[in-house]
Amino acid sequence: MLVVLLGAPGAGKGTQADILTERNGLTHVSSGDLLRMHRQQKTELGQLAQSYMDRGDLVPDDVVIRMVLDKLSEETDGPGVVLDGFPRTAPQAKALDEALGGSGIDVVLHVKVPEDELVRRLSNRYICRGCSRPYTAESMGKACESCGGELYQREDDMPEAVRNRLQVYANQTYPLIDYYEGKGKLVEVNGLQDVDAVTADVMEALAH
């Protein structure tokens, strides 16, 4: 099974990806993690990606797709994979479909949350400087429970920056949602519910 998880920053798709990994045994594949791994291991793809980044360019879609396909080829014996963070745009989705050939994506889960709620969630988020563990604003003034580090709010988690991030996400992703909807692969999940209710809807979508 090949599942794509879509959701704006703060929608909770990372949480659902972790739950799918734990409950269904799906392998969680994040394009960002793949890119970091290839760069750290100095693989051929990692060095190619680094050459673009050193010039200040975005890593091309075909390089990221090759990383994703390499990972998928390693997971043929397991129950499946959940893709998180890729594809991000309709051209990436089309290129991935072409690369996958007949064995394409089974379902695309869109965890949907209104913008005002996303702004509230993200602007309430604080991070430990030491281990990057997330906290809420209520924890400010306290030390990190894991490493004792200082808690701070990233600039891109401040309300105005959050709205800009969400607008960029929307501009990129709405055509992607239309693309998968046109293929009959899209299932929308109400992300305003509590985590257990969102998970129940996700599991129901996977069962069909």
Side-chain angles (χ1 to χ4, degrees):
M1 173 180 285
L2 182 53
V3 179
V4 170
L5 261 180
L6 297 179
K13 66 182 175 64
T15 298
Q16 295 305 317
D18 290 341
I19 291 171
L20 286 173
T21 298
E22 181 180 344
R23 292 194 186 179
N24 290 33
L26 298 181
T27 300
H28 182 189
V29 176
S30 159
S31 58
D33 289 346
L34 280 180
L35 183 58
R36 281 187 289 273
M37 180 196 74
H38 277 275
R39 289 169 59 204
Q40 288 169 359
Q41 296 181 359
K42 299 187 184 301
T43 65
E44 179 185 347
L45 285 173
Q47 291 176 339
L48 180 58
Q50 189 66 53
S51 70
Y52 286 97
M53 298 173 74
D54 288 344
R55 297 197 297 268
D57 296 333
L58 293 174
V59 179
D61 290 348
D62 66 300
V63 176
V64 181
I65 289 173
R66 285 170 61 190
M67 291 181 182
V68 171
L69 292 176
D70 279 356
K71 183 63 177 176
L72 294 180
S73 69
E74 298 171 2
E75 302 295 335
T76 53
D77 295 334
V81 168
V82 54
L83 285 178
D84 175 10
F86 190 86
R88 288 183 183 273
T89 65
Q92 288 177 352
K94 292 173 185 175
L96 182 61
D97 279 347
E98 290 174 4
L100 290 170
S103 56
I105 291 162
D106 295 293
V107 63
V108 178
L109 302 173
H110 178 208
V111 183
K112 193 171 182 180
V113 178
E115 181 177 311
D116 286 348
E117 173 62 12
L118 293 170
V119 172
R120 186 195 69 78
R121 290 182 186 181
L122 291 172
S123 59
N124 194 43
R125 183 169 67 179
Y126 284 71
I127 304 291
C128 170
R129 289 192 189 276
C131 66
S132 298
R133 178 174 172 174
Y135 287 86
T136 62
E138 289 72 24
S139 299
M140 274 305 294
K142 302 176 183 178
C144 174
E145 296 174 356
S146 296
C147 72
E150 177 192 4
L151 306 186
Y152 77 106
Q153 186 174 43
R154 300 185 319 191
E155 287 189 9
D156 62 352
D157 280 340
M158 294 179 182
E160 191 56 39
V162 166
R163 291 192 183 278
N164 289 335
R165 287 169 62 195
L166 293 176
Q167 188 58 55
V168 170
Y169 172 83
N171 291 341
Q172 285 187 332
T173 309
Y174 284 159
L176 176 62
I177 290 169
D178 289 342
Y179 174 77
Y180 283 127
E181 190 170 32
K183 286 186 164 291
K185 299 288 181 72
L186 187 76
V187 177
E188 289 198 338
V189 177
N190 179 7
L192 273 176
Q193 307 173 96
D194 62 41
V195 172
D196 288 343
V198 174
T199 300
D201 286 352
V202 166
M203 295 302 178
E204 182 180 354
L206 296 184
H208 288 84

